[in-house]
Amino acid sequence: MTSQVALKSVAAGVSDRDMANAIRALAMDSVQKANSGHPGMPMGMADVATVLFSRFINIDPSMPDWPDRDRFVLSAGHGSMLQYALHYLLGYEDMPIEELRRFRQLGSRTAGHPEYGHALGVETTTGPLGQGISTAVGMALAERMLAARHGADLVDHYTYVIAGDGCLQEGISHEAIDLAGHLKLSRLIVFWDDNAISIDGPTSLSTSMDQPARFKAAGWYVQSVDGHDMEAVAAAIEAAQLSDRPSLIACRTVIGKGAPNLGGSEKTHGAPLGDAEIAATRENIGWAYAPFEVPDDILFAWREVAGRGQAARRAWEQRLAASPQREAFDSAIAGNLSDAVFEVLGAFRNEHVEKATKVATRKASEMALAAINGATDLTVGGSADLTHSNLTITKGMDRIAPSDYAGRYIHYGIREHGMAAAMNGIALHGGFVPYGGTFLCFTDYARGAMRLSALMGQRVIYVMTHDSIGLGEDGPTHQPVEHLAMLRATPNLNVFRPADIIETAECWELALKSKNRPSVLVLSRQNLPMLRQAHSDENRSSQGAYILREPSGHRVVTLMATGSEVEIAVAAAERLEIEHGVAAAVVSMPCWELFEAQDADTRKVVLGSAPRIAVEAAARLGWDRWIGDTGAFVGMAGFGASAPAPDLYRHFDITSEAVAAAALKLII
Ligand SMILES: Cc1ncc(C[n+]2csc(CCOP(=O)(O)OP(=O)(O)O)c2C)c(N)n1
Ligand SMILES: [Mg+2]
C-alpha cells in the first residue's frame, strides 16, 4: 500500500481528464462484465460529472443523508454506471469495487437503474425517462420551502440533474419545466446530455425541438457548452448558481466518448462495447490499467474531493447545534407527526358520529384536513387545478408563489403527472408530508410517478375525488371504472375508499401514519350518510375491512362494499331482513391492502362463511378474491354515461333492490 502522504503528492499530478477516464473505464468494464447495460451515456457525460462532483457538489459519502447536502438526480437512469462509478470513486462505503463487478446481478447494490434505498446516496429511483427531472423539481421546491421556514443557515443547497434527450422528450418534462420556471426554482440546475442520439438512432428521426428555446420560454436561464470542455462546464455551473431562475446547461457531448469506432453511435447506448472496442478505447484514452483497476493516485484524487463535502457537512452541523431552530428542524426532517394530529382526528370522529354528519367524502376529507393542518405544519397540500373540487385547501394555508415559498399550498397547475413526481421529490427531500388532488379518473395521467411513490415507499398522499359514476353529468370521460383495480394491483400502495365521514377521518389517519408507503384516498363527489352506530376509540378502518352491520340472526349472506356503495349494501341488508327475513351482514372494506395484511382468522371472522356479494361502482377485477366461488358482484361492466348520478345508479343496476335480488338468487 502506498502511504497517504505519498498518494497526496501523486494525486497532485492527476488531471481532470484522468478522473473522468476512470468513470469511462469503470462504466465500460462493468457493462461488459454484466453483458448488459448502457456504457454510452456514462462515457459521454464523464467530463461533466467530473467537473460537477470534483468542484461543486456538496455531498458527504461518510454521511449520505446529511439534510443540507446538494441533491444529485441521474434522470437518465439507464446511465446508472455513471452514478455507481462516482460512488465507488468518492468512497461510499456500500460501493466497493466488488459491487461494480456485480453490476445488474441479483442482490447487488448496482441495480440496472438507480434505485432509492438500494445504494447510499441514490436520491430517487430513475429509469422511467422524465421522472428524475420532474422529481427534482419537487426537491428544489422543498429546499426553498424548508429554507423559508428554517432559514438559509440550515437550508441552502442545490439540486443537480443529468437528463438525456429521452427525459426531455417525455411529456412529463414539459409539466415539470413549466412549473419550475414559473416558481423560479433557482437552485435547480439541469445538465442536458445533448448527444443527439437515442436508441433508434439520431434524435433527428423524431424531433426538431429547439430545447434551449423551450426552456427559455418556460422562464429558465439557459446556457450551451461543449460538454467535453471542462472549464466551459465549470464556468456554466458558476453562472447557473448565480441565476435567479432554474438553469439548463445544454452540454453538447459525444455518446460513448472515447470509444474510437463506436463513439457517437447509438450502438453504445445500451450494449457492451465488446472486447475489441474496449481494448481500442483503452488505447485511445490512454488507460493502461486492467478492468476494474483504478490507480491509487487517481483514486486518491477522487477521495480527496469527498473531503470538501465533509467539511461543508461539519460546518453545517455546527450551525444546527447553535440554532434555535434545531428541534423544529430535526423533527420536520424526521417527519414525525405530533400526537396532537391524531388527538384532533379522534375528537373529530366523536363529534361527527354524534352529529351523524352527512357529507360527500371529499367534503369529509376537507373537514378532516382542516383539523390535521391545524395541528401540524408538516402537511403541504395542492391540486392539479381542481382545488375547489378536490377540496384540498384549508383555512389559513398560504399559497406558494414565485420567489415566495413560505406557504404550504401548491397550485400544481393542470399537470397531474408533474404534480405526482413533484410530491415524490418533496417527500424524498424531507421536511414535509405532501398531499395533492385530482379526479380519480386522471390517475392515469399521474400513473408513472405514482408507481414510483410505491416503488420508493414514499409517504405521498393522493386525494382522488369524483370516484365513480356518482360524479354524474360529466360522463364516462370522467367516471373511473378500472382505476381501483389498477391501483389495488400496485404493490406497496394503500388504496382507501371510505364510506362516510368517520371512515374518511380514519383513512386520513392511516395514510399519515404510513411512513413508508403512499396512499390514495378515493373520495365521492356526492353526499353520503354517516353509517356508524356508535363512536369507537379504535380506528376500525385500520383492519382494512370490518363488520359494519351485524344481522339480527345467524348470517345467511354477507354484503361487501366500499365507499359510496356501502350505503347501498346497508339498504339492501335492511330490505332483505324486513321484506324477506334474510339475515345479511354488511362488511365495509375501505382498504383491501390492510385487510390482506390481517391474519387468516381475523379475515375469516369478517368475511364469514355465508355466500358473499360485493358491491362497488367499478370493474369487478380483483373482487373474486373476496367473493369466492359462490358469490356475486354488483357493479360496472363497462364505461359509465352522462346523467344525474341517481339515474346512473338505476341505469347500471347498482341499487339496493339489485343487491337484494342477487342475494336472494344466491341463497334460494
Ligand atoms: C418512459 C420510458 N420510455 C422508454 C424507455 C426506454 N429507453 C431507455 S433509454 C431510451 C433512450 C434514451 O435516449 P437518451 O435519453 O438520449 O439517452 P442516450 O441514448 O443519449 O444515452 C429509451 C427509449 C424508458 N426507460 N423510459
Ligand atoms: Mg441522447
Side-chain angles (χ1 to χ4, degrees):
M1 267 301 273
T2 328
S3 84
Q4 294 276 300
V5 179
L7 271 175
K8 201 160 199 162
S9 64
V10 185
V14 171
S15 71
D16 288 339
R17 194 68 65 197
D18 294 331
M19 292 172 79
N21 281 339
I23 297 175
R24 291 194 168 92
L26 291 170
M28 69 181 181
D29 290 342
S30 301
V31 171
Q32 186 68 27
K33 177 144 198 303
N35 197 23
S36 167
H38 303 76
M41 183 273 183
M43 295 174 79
M45 284 300 278
D47 297 326
V48 171
T50 297
V51 174
L52 176 64
F53 278 80
S54 69
R55 301 194 206 174
F56 292 94
I57 209 162
N58 276 326
I59 51 169
D60 179 3
S62 69
M63 197 174 280
D65 290 343
W66 153 48
D68 198 33
R69 68 194 180 277
D70 288 333
R71 303 302 196 268
F72 172 68
V73 174
L74 187 70
S75 191
H78 57 279
S80 57
M81 265 315 304
L82 178 73
Q83 185 146 24
Y84 302 144
L86 282 164
H87 284 204
Y88 163 65
L89 294 166
L90 289 164
Y92 280 81
E93 67 172 321
D94 68 337
M95 199 57 71
I97 197 76
E98 292 75 40
E99 286 294 334
L100 272 58
R101 289 179 187 274
R102 299 203 298 145
F103 180 47
R104 296 193 150 216
Q105 305 309 304
L106 193 63
S108 73
R109 300 219 166 78
T110 44
H113 294 83
E115 289 186 44
Y116 175 78
H118 263 234
L120 298 172
V122 171
E123 303 281 3
T124 182
T125 296
T126 54
L129 297 170
Q131 290 294 334
I133 185 173
S134 311
T135 304
V137 169
M139 292 179 180
L141 176 56
E143 190 269 348
R144 288 292 80 197
M145 290 171 65
L146 207 61
R149 287 184 181 195
H150 300 286
D153 240 23
L154 299 187
V155 187
D156 185 7
H157 55 263
Y158 290 95
T159 301
Y160 296 103
V161 179
I162 290 184
D165 300 302
C167 293
L168 302 195
Q169 284 184 23
E170 289 291 350
I172 189 173
S173 76
H174 180 78
E175 301 180 14
I177 290 165
D178 192 0
L179 184 61
H182 171 70
L183 290 176
K184 295 194 174 10
L185 299 180
S186 59
R187 302 307 178 92
L188 178 63
I189 299 179
V190 174
F191 301 91
W192 168 32
D193 178 16
D194 176 16
N195 59 19
I197 290 286
S198 63
I199 293 179
D200 279 1
T203 50
S204 60
L205 289 170
S206 60
T207 180
S208 304
M209 177 61 72
D210 181 343
Q211 289 289 2
R214 183 168 78 112
F215 279 78
K216 273 182 206 154
W220 287 53
Y221 174 53
V222 176
Q223 304 173 80
S224 296
V225 297
D226 172 350
H228 303 299
D229 178 342
M230 290 167 138
E231 296 314 315
V233 172
I237 297 173
E238 272 166 20
Q241 287 184 337
L242 297 176
S243 170
D244 60 355
R245 291 170 284 159
S247 273
L248 177 76
I249 304 179
C251 305
R252 171 50 74 166
T253 62
V254 176
I255 191 168
K257 169 87 173 168
N261 305 303
L262 295 181
S265 159
E266 68 273 14
K267 293 199 177 93
T268 67
H269 163 90
L273 297 184
D275 289 332
E277 183 70 357
I278 285 179
T281 305
R282 282 196 145 71
E283 183 76 28
N284 191 37
I285 63 175
W287 191 260
Y289 315 104
F292 299 101
E293 183 190 336
V294 177
D296 284 352
D297 57 345
I298 296 177
L299 191 57
F300 191 78
W302 270 111
R303 299 277 154 103
E304 239 185 2
V305 158
R308 196 194 53 250
Q310 201 162 51
R313 189 257 299 167
R314 290 209 177 104
W316 176 85
E317 278 172 350
Q318 282 175 4
R319 292 199 298 278
L320 179 67
S323 170
Q325 286 282 320
R326 183 186 179 146
E327 218 172 290
F329 180 83
D330 283 343
S331 154
I333 289 294
N336 294 331
L337 290 163
S338 68
D339 292 344
V341 175
F342 305 108
E343 279 158 21
V344 294
L345 281 175
F348 178 96
R349 287 197 277 125
N350 202 354
E351 177 191 342
H352 291 290
V353 166
E354 252 165 48
K355 288 187 182 158
T357 308
K358 177 178 181 172
V359 287
T361 49
R362 64 176 170 144
K363 181 70 186 170
S365 165
E366 181 192 43
M367 293 161 73
L369 268 173
I372 294 163
N373 291 337
T376 177
D377 61 2
L378 287 196
T379 42
V380 168
S383 167
D385 200 45
L386 287 169
T387 293
H388 301 296
S389 299
N390 305 142
L391 303 180
T392 35
I393 198 165
T394 62
K395 220 171 127 211
M397 280 185 122
D398 291 330
R399 295 175 162 88
I400 298 289
S403 306
D404 176 4
Y405 311 103
R408 58 192 288 208
Y409 194 81
I410 302 161
H411 290 280
Y412 287 104
I414 307 135
R415 307 183 184 102
E416 297 80 11
H417 206 178
M419 172 176 74
M423 288 201 291
N424 283 339
I426 293 169
L428 286 160
H429 180 278
F432 304 100
V433 179
Y435 70 84
T438 184
F439 290 157
L440 178 62
C441 208
F442 305 138
T443 297
D444 294 333
Y445 278 46
R447 164 80 182 148
M450 291 178 77
R451 183 167 191 270
L452 286 185
S453 313
L455 183 58
M456 294 192 283
Q458 291 303 298
R459 180 171 48 177
V460 172
I461 303 174
Y462 294 93
V463 181
M464 301 309 214
T465 67
H466 297 61
D467 70 348
S468 74
I469 52 166
L471 68 85
E473 292 84 346
D474 271 343
T477 54
H478 285 51
Q479 292 161 355
V481 175
E482 70 281 31
H483 301 73
L484 282 167
M486 179 273 283
L487 291 169
R488 287 169 178 154
T490 306
N492 200 41
L493 175 70
N494 282 345
V495 184
F496 294 102
R497 190 166 186 249
D500 66 359
I501 188 168
I502 305 304
E503 282 192 8
T504 304
E506 289 177 340
C507 292
W508 258 111
E509 176 177 328
L510 293 165
L512 291 170
K513 284 183 171 166
S514 300
K515 262 186 125 174
N516 300 316
R517 201 174 250 230
S519 298
V520 182
L521 293 165
V522 176
L523 304 169
S524 74
R525 172 177 183 258
Q526 72 274 31
N527 284 342
L528 300 175
M530 203 288 296
L531 295 171
R532 287 287 166 85
Q533 314 286 324
H535 172 71
S536 82
D537 284 337
E538 171 207 4
N539 180 333
R540 300 193 74 192
S541 300
S542 66
Q543 202 177 283
Y546 63 96
I547 302 168
L548 174 69
R549 180 188 188 278
E550 291 276 11
S552 36
H554 182 70
R555 36 169 149 157
V556 177
V557 66
T558 299
L559 309 178
M560 306 174 294
T562 75
S564 44
E565 286 69 67
V566 178
E567 174 190 12
I568 293 171
V570 170
E574 281 163 4
R575 185 182 288 274
L576 282 166
E577 212 157 303
I578 295 163
E579 294 178 10
H580 304 279
V582 169
V586 175
V587 169
S588 181
M589 299 189 79
C591 182
W592 287 15
E593 295 77 17
L594 293 180
F595 191 51
E596 273 167 9
Q598 304 302 312
D599 58 45
D601 288 346
T602 308
R603 288 205 302 263
K604 222 178 204 166
V605 169
V606 173
L607 293 173
S609 51
R612 291 171 221 139
I613 296 178
V615 195
E616 187 167 70
R620 176 173 182 145
L621 192 72
W623 270 108
D624 288 277
R625 154 122 203 232
W626 308 119
I627 294 170
D629 289 339
T630 54
F633 177 74
V634 174
M636 298 294 289
F639 289 117
S642 169
D647 294 351
L648 290 173
Y649 273 92
R650 276 192 298 275
H651 176 73
F652 290 108
D653 229 8
I654 306 174
T655 59
S656 63
E657 291 91 332
V659 176
L664 291 172
K665 214 165 133 192
L666 274 187
I667 59 180
I668 289 170

